C-alpha cells in the first residue's frame, strides 16, 4: 500500500493513522467543542475571582464568535466557488484593518504622556479620556505581558491587550525599574527608518552624489542622448577598466559616504543631515581627533571590500510575507547561519515608505544578515544601493533579478553584492549558465540559483543537475543551490552537487527545525507540544516586534496564520511509513498521536484560526483570513 501511495504523489503515512476527510473534521469539531467548554469554565472561574460577572465576559467574547460562525456557515456553502477564485496569489483578498476591530482608540499623545500636545488639536477623533477608553476597551487577552516580563516596561500602557499585568491604581503603568535598567541603551533591532531620514527622502533632499556620478559616467560613452539612468549595460572598454588600478572615486573624504558602522553599533545617519557638495565643489576634508584605524586613513578599493565568507553555511531564503523578523529569530535559534530580509522594492524605499523600510529591520541575534532588493532600472537600484550603504547595517545586499545587473552597482556598495536567479523564464529554456559568467565579471560576490524557471513556479522538481552544471560555470565565484530541501538527506545530496552552500526556503516554513536536523544529521520526531511552544515563541516575538496593543496583536495573528498555511504540510516523523518526507508530496488526511498534532495537520483556515486563539485569544468580530500564498505545489 505504501508503494501505491508514494506513486500517486501522496506522502506515505502509515495505514493505521490514515483517515477520511469526514472523520478527520468530525474529530476536530467534537474535540474543539470540548476544549471550548473547558476554556469557558476556566474563564468563568477566573472572572469570578476578579469580581467580574461571568455573563459579561462570555457575552463580549461570544458576540464575535456567533457572527463568525454565521459567516463560516455561508462560506461552506460557497466553498467550491471561493476556492476556484482564490487560485494563485490572491491580491484582492479580504484584509482586516485596525479601524475595523477597534473603533474607539486612545490618542497616541495620551499613551506617550503628552496629551496637552496632541498633533491633531481640536480636530482629533481619538479618545483623550483614559477612563472612557478603558470602559470601551475589549477584554484583555491574557494575564501576562511578554513586554513587561522581558523588558520591565510595556510601552503600550493602557492600550496593551495584556495590560492587567502592569496597570496599577488609576490605570498607571507599572515599571520594573531594576529589569528596565538592564535594557537601557541596548539596540535590539537595527535599521529603523528615522523621521528625519523619511523627511529627506520624501522632500528629495537626500544626496545621491556617488550614484549620480557613476550614472553620468555610464551614459557618456553612448553619445545617443540616452539618460544614464536607463542604461542597461556597459561598453567593453568600461568593463576592461579594473577598479583595482585606479583610485576609488568619491571615496576619499566625502562626508556623504561614511564607513559602514561596525557590528553592534547603530547606523550613523548623522552624516546625512548636512547637504553634501554638488557639482564641481570639492568635499571639505574631515579632521579627526584621537586614535584612528588603518581603515580610517586608507579607504578600501573595490577589490579589497569585505568578503562574504558563508560557504557551507545554512542560508534562510528571503521569504515574502513569512520571512519576517520574528520568524527569522525562530530559525536562528534552530540553526540557521545566514538570514535575509524580505524582498524590498527600491522605488518604495527611495520614497521613504515606512512599511517597506520595515522589511530591512535586523534583530541583534542575526549575526550574518542581508537585505534583498527588487528594481527595474539601474538609476533607482543604484540610488537605493547608496541609500542603504549610508543608512543601515547589513553584511550583504542581494538582488532578485531575471536580467543582468549593471556595473555601477559594485561601485556604490561597500558591502558584498549577491544575486538570486532562477534557471530562466520559460520551462526547458535554461539561461542561467549564460548569465552567471557575466555576473561574476560584474563583481557579484555570490549567486543563488533556484532550480526552476519562472514559468514552472513550484509544480516541478528542482533541477539539481542543472544547478551542478552552473556551479562549475560559476567557479571560483560561490554558487548556492535552492529548491526542494526538506530533510538532511536532501541537503547532503545538494552539497554533493558541488555547490558552495544551500539556501532553504519552503522547507524552513514547513519545518523550521530543518536547520537542526541538517546540522545534527538526524530526523527529529518533534512532538506537538514542542511545535506549539515554537508557535508561542513566535507570537511573543511578534508582540515584541509589532506591539501588544490591538493592532500589534492582530498583525502578529495575521503573520502566524500565514505561517500556519505552510506548517500544516509537515507530517510527523513517527507517522511516516518510510523517510524522509518529500516536499511535493501531498499529506493525506491522518489522525495524529494526540489532538494537538491532529489540529496542526488541518489545512482548514478555521482550524488555523483556532490555533491562533489558543495563543492570542479570541479573534475580533467579523474576522476573516485568506492566505496570501495559494500556489499549488503538489503534483
Amino acid at each position: 500500500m505504501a508503494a501505491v501511495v508514494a506513486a500517486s504523489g501522496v506522502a506515505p503515512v502509515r495505514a493505521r493513522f490514515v483517515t477520511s476527510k469526514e472523520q478527520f473534521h468530525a474529530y476536530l469539531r467534537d474535540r474543539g467543542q470540548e476544549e471550548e467548554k473547558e476554556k469557558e469554565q476556566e474563564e468563568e472561574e477566573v472572572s469570578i475571582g476578579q469580581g467580574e460577572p461571568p455573563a459579561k465576559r462570555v457575552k463580549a467574547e461570544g458576540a464575535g464568535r456567533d457572527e463568525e460562525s454565521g459567516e463560516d456557515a455561508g462560506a461552506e456553502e460557497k466553498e467550491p466557488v471561493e476556492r476556484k477564485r482564490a487560485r494563485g496569489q490572491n491580491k484582492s483578498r479580504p484584509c482586516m484593518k485596525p479601524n475595523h476591530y477597534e473603533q474607539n482608540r486612545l490618542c497616541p499623545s495620551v499613551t506617550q504622556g503628552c496629551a496637552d500636545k496632541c498633533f491633531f488639536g481640536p480636530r482629533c477623533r481619538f479618545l483623550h479620556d483614559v477612563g472612557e477608553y478603558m470602559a470601551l476597551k475589549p477584554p484583555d487577552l491574557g494575564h501576562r505581558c511578554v513586554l513587561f516580563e522581558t523588558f520591565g516596561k510595556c510601552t503600550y500602557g493602557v492600550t496593551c491587550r495584556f495590560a492587567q499585568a502592569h496597570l496599577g491604581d488609576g490605570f498607571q503603568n507599572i515599571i520594573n525599574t531594576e529589569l528596565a535598567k538592564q535594557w537601557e541603551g541596548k539596540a535590539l533591532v537595527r535599521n529603523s527608518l528615522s523621521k528625519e531620514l523619511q523627511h529627506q527622502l520624501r522632500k528629495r533632499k537626500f544626496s545621491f552624489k556617488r550614484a549620480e556620478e557613476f550614472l553620468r559616467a555610464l551614459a557618456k560613452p553612448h553619445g545617443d542622448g540616452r539618460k544614464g539612468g536607463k542604461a542597461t549595460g556597459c561598453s567593453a572598454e568600461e568593463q576592461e577598466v579594473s577598479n583595482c588600478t585606479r583610485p576609488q572615486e568619491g571615496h576619499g573624504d566625502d562626508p556623504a559616504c561614511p564607513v559602514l558602522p561596525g557590528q553592534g553599533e547603530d547606523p550613523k545617519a548623522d552624516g546625512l543631515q548636512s547637504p553634501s557638495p554638488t557639482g564641481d565643489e570639492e568635499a571639505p576634508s574631515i579632521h579627526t581627533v584621537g586614535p584612528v584605524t588603518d581603515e580610517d586613513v586608507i579607504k578600501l578599493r573595490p577589490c579589497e571590500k569585505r568578503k562574504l565568507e558563508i560557504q557551507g553555511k545554512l542560508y534562510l531564503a528571503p521569504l515574502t510575507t513569512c520571512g519576517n523578523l520574528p520568524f527569522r529569530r525562530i530559525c536562528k535559534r534552530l540553526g540557521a547561519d545566514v538570514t535575509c530580509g524580505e524582498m524590498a522594492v527600491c522605488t518604495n524605499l527611495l520614497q521613504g515608505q515606512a512599511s517597506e523600510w520595515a522589511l530591512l529591520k535586523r534583530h541583534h541575534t542575526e549575526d550574518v544578515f542581508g537585505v534583498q532588493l527588487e528594481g527595474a532600472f539601474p538609476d533607482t537600484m543604484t540610488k537605493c544601493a547608496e541609500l542603504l550603504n549610508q543608512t543601515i547595517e547589513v553584511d550583504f545586499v542581494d538582488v532578485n533579478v531575471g536580467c543582468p545587473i549593471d556595473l555601477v552597482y559594485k561601485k556604490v556598495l561597500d558591502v558584498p553584492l549577491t544575486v538570486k536567479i532562477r534557471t530562466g523564464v520559460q520551462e526547458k529554456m535554461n539561461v542561467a549558465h549564460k548569465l552567471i559568467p557575466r555576473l561574476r565579471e560584474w563583481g557579484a560576490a555570490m549567486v543563488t540559483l533556484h532550480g526552476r524557471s519562472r514559468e514552472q513556479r513550484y509544480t516541478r522538481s528542482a533541477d539539481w543537475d542543472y544547478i551542478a552544471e552552473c556551479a562549475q560555470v560559476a567557479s571560483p565565484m560561490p554558487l548556492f543551490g535552492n529548491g526542494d530541501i526538506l530533510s538532511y538527506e536532501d541537503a547532503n545530496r545538494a552539497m554533493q552537487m558541488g555547490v558552495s552552500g544551500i539556501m532553504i526556503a519552503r522547507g524552513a516554513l514547513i519545518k523550521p527545525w530543518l536547520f537542526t536536523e541538517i546540522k545534527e544529521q538526524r530526523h527529529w520526531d518533534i512532538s506537538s507540544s514542542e511545535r506549539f511552544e515554537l508557535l508561542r515563541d513566535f507570537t511573543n516575538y511578534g508582540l515584541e516586534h509589532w506591539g501588544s496593543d490591538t493592532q500589534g496583536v492582530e498583525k502578529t495573528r495575521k503573520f502566524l496564520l500565514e505561517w500556519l498555511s505552510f506548517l500544516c504540510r509537515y507530517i510527523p516523523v513517527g507517522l511516516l511509513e518510510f523517510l524522509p518526507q518529500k516536499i511535493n508530496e501531498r499529506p493525506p488526511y491522518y489522525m495524529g498521536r494526540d489532538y494537538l498534532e491532529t489540529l496542526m495537520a488541518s489545512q482548514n483556515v478555521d482550524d488555523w484560526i483556532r490555533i491562533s486563539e489558543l495563543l492570542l485569544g479570541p479573534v475580533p468580530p467579523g474576522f476573516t483570513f485568506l492566505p496570501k500564498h495559494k500556489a499549488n505545489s503538489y503534483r
Side-chain angles (χ1 to χ4, degrees), residues 329-342:
R329 287 183 66 181
I330 293 289
C331 292
K332 280 295 296 181
R333 271 180 43 197
L334 292 170
D337 299 311
V338 183
T339 54
C340 187
E342 303 172 62

Side-chain angles (χ1 to χ4, degrees), residues 442-499:
W442 290 341
M446 186 187 81
V447 169
T448 301
L449 177 60
H450 183 176
R452 298 182 182 86
S453 66
R454 181 181 181 275
E455 188 178 80
Q456 287 174 320
R457 291 189 64 81
Y458 297 99
T459 58
R460 298 286 188 277
S461 297
D463 190 346
W464 277 92
D465 290 332
Y466 182 64
I467 293 176
E469 177 186 335
C470 289
Q472 293 180 349
V473 172
S475 182
M477 179 182 65
L479 183 139
F480 271 49
N482 170 230
D484 297 349
I485 296 176
L486 193 61
S487 66
Y488 75 87
E489 291 100 329
D490 294 335
N492 292 346
R493 279 192 294 270
M495 289 302 297
Q496 291 170 4
M497 293 293 183
V499 295

Side-chain angles (χ1 to χ4, degrees), residues 102-119:
E102 191 179 29
Q103 310 241 334
N104 303 295
R105 301 179 64 186
L106 192 65
C107 181
S109 65
V110 179
T111 58
Q112 295 168 9
C114 52
D116 55 334
K117 299 179 181 179
C118 178
F119 176 78

Side-chain angles (χ1 to χ4, degrees), residues 2 115 121 162 165 221 223 258 285 342 350 366 371 374 389 430 434 440 488 496 556 561 635:
F162 309 88
S285 60
E342 303 172 62
L350 291 170
E366 297 181 272
V371 295
E374 181 273 335
N389 199 49
N430 295 335
K434 300 178 182 178
R440 182 182 60 222
Y488 75 87
Q496 291 170 4
T556 300
L561 292 171
R635 292 293 293 164

